């Protein structure tokens, strides 16, 4: 692997130098703004320093037709410029965000990327992580192990997802759980209520709007009896308001909504009419990690028509990949409340932090 440093007045000028000398298959390992001084430190000039690399004898790896087409169109560009460089470049000088993946990279780098791919991390994120890994690898004279690169990758996800963790302060009194059929809303409500009551001594009540399935009502009533929590069934907006009034002295009121095919906007509108959501209400979207990522995306987009800003991921023990959590979060930047596993109330409710999420993204943690 040939590595060389370039200094130029602008990023496009540096890119032209890299392309001219190293060719189209070069990758950018690092870029930063530097200041060169003249006349005893006076009259300094700001330049761009770029660290680029190329394999003199690249080995081709198998690509999809989409990747082949993209590789043919891409020029040598970094995946992401530092913020100070982004601000200094004009709109005409913005660089491509896709990194060429046509070369075979050092084994520790490739192994880490393969792990991310197997875990379902999207292609653009893998390309960005690739630049970070290559920069780390060559800055340390190629003396970096796969384990160390995995830690670097974990720190990337930890930093990325630090803002995804929902604050435990300022929770609303009325908490709605929304989601399609079969994601485990009713069991999740029982877990949340049991946790709030047993661990935090909260006074709880249940309301269910899921009147389409008798079994769902009976299931929540069973949990209510076991946990000694009062429950009301609301068939319309008037019933819901009456139930809220009845439980006005409670600390938290969990509201179970009907599990429907929410790919149909009609059901979203029906829910909106019955619930008549208030600004202070908390709406949580419940998604199953066993669902296809495309379906999760469609469902969340449907629920985004409502004031939903928090997600609970269920069935974390029934999947071996967790990259879809990051992929979906990257698009919508919602808060992540909890993950759930199994049917045990309340023990199978998992509070997550950035460290746990990062471990899931790199494949270090599973159930």
């Amino acid at each position: 692997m040939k590595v060389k440093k370039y200094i130029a007045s602008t990023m496009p000028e540096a890119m032209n130098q890299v392309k001219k000398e190293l060719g189209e298959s070069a990758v950018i390992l690092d870029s930063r703004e530097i200041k060169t001084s003249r006349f005893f430190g006076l009259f300094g000039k700001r330049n761009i320093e770029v660290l680029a690399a190329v394999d003199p004898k690249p080995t081709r790896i198998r690509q999809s037709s989409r990747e082949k087409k993209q590789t043919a169109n891409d020029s040598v560009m970094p995946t992401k410029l530092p913020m100070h460089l982004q601000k200094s470049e004009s709109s005409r000088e913005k660089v491509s965000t896709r990194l060429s993946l046509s070369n075979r990279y050092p084994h520790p780098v490739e192994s880490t990327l393969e792990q991310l791919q197997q875990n379902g991390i999207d292609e653009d994120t893998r390309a960005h992580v690739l630049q970070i890994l290559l920069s780390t690898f060559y800055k340390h004279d190629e003396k970096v192990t796969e384990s160390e690169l995995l830690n670097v990758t974990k720190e990337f996800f930890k930093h990325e997802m630090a803002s995804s963790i929902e604050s435990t302060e300022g929770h609303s009194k009325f908490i709605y759980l929304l989601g399609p059929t079969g994601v485990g809303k009713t069991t999740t409500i029982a877990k949340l209520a049991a946790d709030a009551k047993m661990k935090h001594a909260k006074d709880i009540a249940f309301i269910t709007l899921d009147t389409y399935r008798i079994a769902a009502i009976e299931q929540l009533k069973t949990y209510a009896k076991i946990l000694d929590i009062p429950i009301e069934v609301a068939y319309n907006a008037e019933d819901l308001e009456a139930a809220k009034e009845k439980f006005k002295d409670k600390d938290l009121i969990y509201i179970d909504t009907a599990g429907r095919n929410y790919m149909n906007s009609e059901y979203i509108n029906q829910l909106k009419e019955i619930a008549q959501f208030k600004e202070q209400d908390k709406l949580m979207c419940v998604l199953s990690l066993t669902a296809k990522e495309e379906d999760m995306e469609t469902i969340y987009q449907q629920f985004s028509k409502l004031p939903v800003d928090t997600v609970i991921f269920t069935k974390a023990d029934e999947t071996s990949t967790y990259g879809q959590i990051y992929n979906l979060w990257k698009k919508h930047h919602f808060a992540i409340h909890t993950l759930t596993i199994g049917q045990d109330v309340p023990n199978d409710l998992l509070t997550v932090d950035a460290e746990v999420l990062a471990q899931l993204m790199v494949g270090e943690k599973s159930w």
Side-chain angles (χ1 to χ4, degrees):
M1 183 73 73
K2 180 180 180 181
V3 181
K4 188 170 181 179
K5 184 185 296 182
Y6 296 86
I7 297 177
S9 300
T10 65
M11 180 57 73
E13 183 180 332
M15 292 300 100
N16 286 334
Q17 290 182 31
V18 173
K19 184 177 179 181
K20 182 177 180 180
E21 185 168 345
L22 300 184
E24 298 282 353
S25 60
V27 294
I28 305 304
L29 304 180
D30 194 22
S31 59
R32 65 191 182 100
E33 188 178 82
I34 61 172
K35 187 175 181 180
T36 55
S37 59
R38 306 176 190 173
F39 304 109
F40 304 101
L42 300 177
F43 310 110
K45 180 184 178 182
R46 294 187 180 278
N47 286 317
I48 305 299
E49 181 183 276
V50 171
L51 185 65
V54 67
D55 188 345
K57 298 180 180 180
T59 303
R60 304 293 294 180
I61 62 175
R62 186 169 56 188
Q63 295 173 281
S64 66
S65 58
R66 176 181 164 190
E67 286 176 323
K68 288 178 180 177
K69 182 178 179 181
Q70 184 65 52
T71 300
N73 293 333
D74 285 345
S75 57
V76 183
M77 296 293 174
T79 57
K80 187 175 181 182
L81 287 174
M83 288 303 297
H84 62 274
L85 294 183
Q86 290 182 39
K87 294 177 182 178
S88 66
E89 296 293 312
S90 69
S91 58
R92 293 174 302 169
E93 296 173 332
K94 287 184 178 179
V95 297
S96 167
T97 58
R98 184 178 295 276
L99 188 66
S100 172
L101 298 177
S102 61
N103 291 335
R104 184 170 295 280
Y105 296 102
H107 176 71
V109 175
E110 280 205 352
S111 295
T112 305
L113 289 176
E114 287 174 5
Q115 204 157 339
L116 295 184
Q117 184 172 11
Q118 291 172 3
N119 207 27
I121 298 295
D122 70 89
E123 184 182 355
D124 286 340
T125 301
R126 297 200 312 270
H128 181 56
V129 171
L130 172 60
Q131 184 183 3
I132 296 172
L133 297 180
L134 287 172
S135 178
T136 303
F137 189 78
Y138 289 112
K139 279 183 177 179
H140 291 83
D141 299 324
E142 306 182 27
K143 298 176 181 178
V144 184
T145 65
E146 183 178 339
S147 176
E148 289 169 332
L149 288 183
L150 198 64
N151 285 332
V152 169
T153 306
K154 190 166 62 175
E155 284 302 310
F156 164 78
F157 284 111
K158 185 177 178 180
H159 179 267
E160 278 278 288
M161 302 194 74
S163 63
S164 71
I165 307 305
E166 185 184 33
S167 170
T168 57
E169 300 179 358
H171 281 177
S172 171
K173 183 187 188 76
F174 300 103
I175 302 173
Y176 291 81
L177 264 67
L178 318 173
T181 305
V183 295
K185 289 190 306 302
T186 304
T187 304
T188 301
I189 276 190
K191 292 176 182 179
L192 292 171
D195 182 78
K197 181 173 183 175
M198 298 166 63
K199 295 183 180 179
H200 305 285
K202 298 293 184 181
D203 193 8
I204 310 293
F206 286 148
I207 300 174
T208 180
L209 302 178
D210 193 357
T211 58
Y212 296 92
R213 296 184 304 122
I214 300 299
I217 297 176
E218 294 306 316
Q219 183 184 12
L220 192 58
K221 283 184 175 180
T222 299
Y223 284 128
K225 184 177 181 179
I226 294 172
L227 297 171
D228 192 24
I229 293 174
I231 182 173
E232 287 290 322
V233 180
Y235 293 90
N236 51 46
E238 291 74 20
D239 289 346
L240 179 57
E241 288 304 312
K244 284 183 174 182
E245 179 62 25
K246 180 178 180 178
F247 296 139
K248 64 181 180 181
D249 294 328
K250 299 293 183 180
D251 296 323
L252 293 172
I253 301 169
Y254 289 98
I255 304 172
D256 192 11
T257 62
R260 308 293 296 274
N261 176 17
Y262 286 109
M263 291 188 180
N264 187 339
S265 297
E266 178 185 349
Y267 295 128
I268 297 288
N269 296 330
Q270 288 178 2
L271 180 58
K272 192 183 299 185
E273 287 180 14
I274 295 175
Q276 299 179 11
F277 299 112
K278 309 295 191 301
E279 184 177 350
Q280 65 271 25
D281 294 339
K282 183 72 174 178
L283 278 66
M284 297 186 182
C285 180
V286 183
L287 297 174
S288 169
L289 288 174
T290 59
K292 291 189 296 185
E293 185 175 330
E294 294 84 355
D295 292 341
M296 294 169 66
E297 169 68 25
T298 301
I299 291 167
Y300 187 83
Q301 284 185 353
Q302 286 287 77
F303 279 120
S304 65
K305 299 172 184 176
L306 304 174
V308 172
D309 62 357
T310 303
V311 170
I312 294 175
F313 290 102
T314 62
K315 305 186 180 182
D317 57 326
E318 297 180 30
T319 182
S320 59
T321 60
Y322 301 95
Q324 61 270 39
I325 296 176
Y326 177 79
N327 298 344
L328 195 62
W329 173 83
K330 187 175 73 168
K331 295 177 183 177
H332 302 285
H333 288 274
F334 44 71
I336 299 176
H337 186 274
T338 50
L339 301 181
T340 72
I341 57 173
Q343 300 293 315
D344 190 5
V345 176
N347 296 327
D348 290 342
L349 185 71
L350 309 172
T351 301
V352 296
D353 55 24
E355 177 69 24
V356 170
L357 290 173
Q359 290 173 350
L360 289 172
M361 296 310 104
V362 301
E364 273 191 355
K365 188 175 183 63
S366 63
W367 289 275

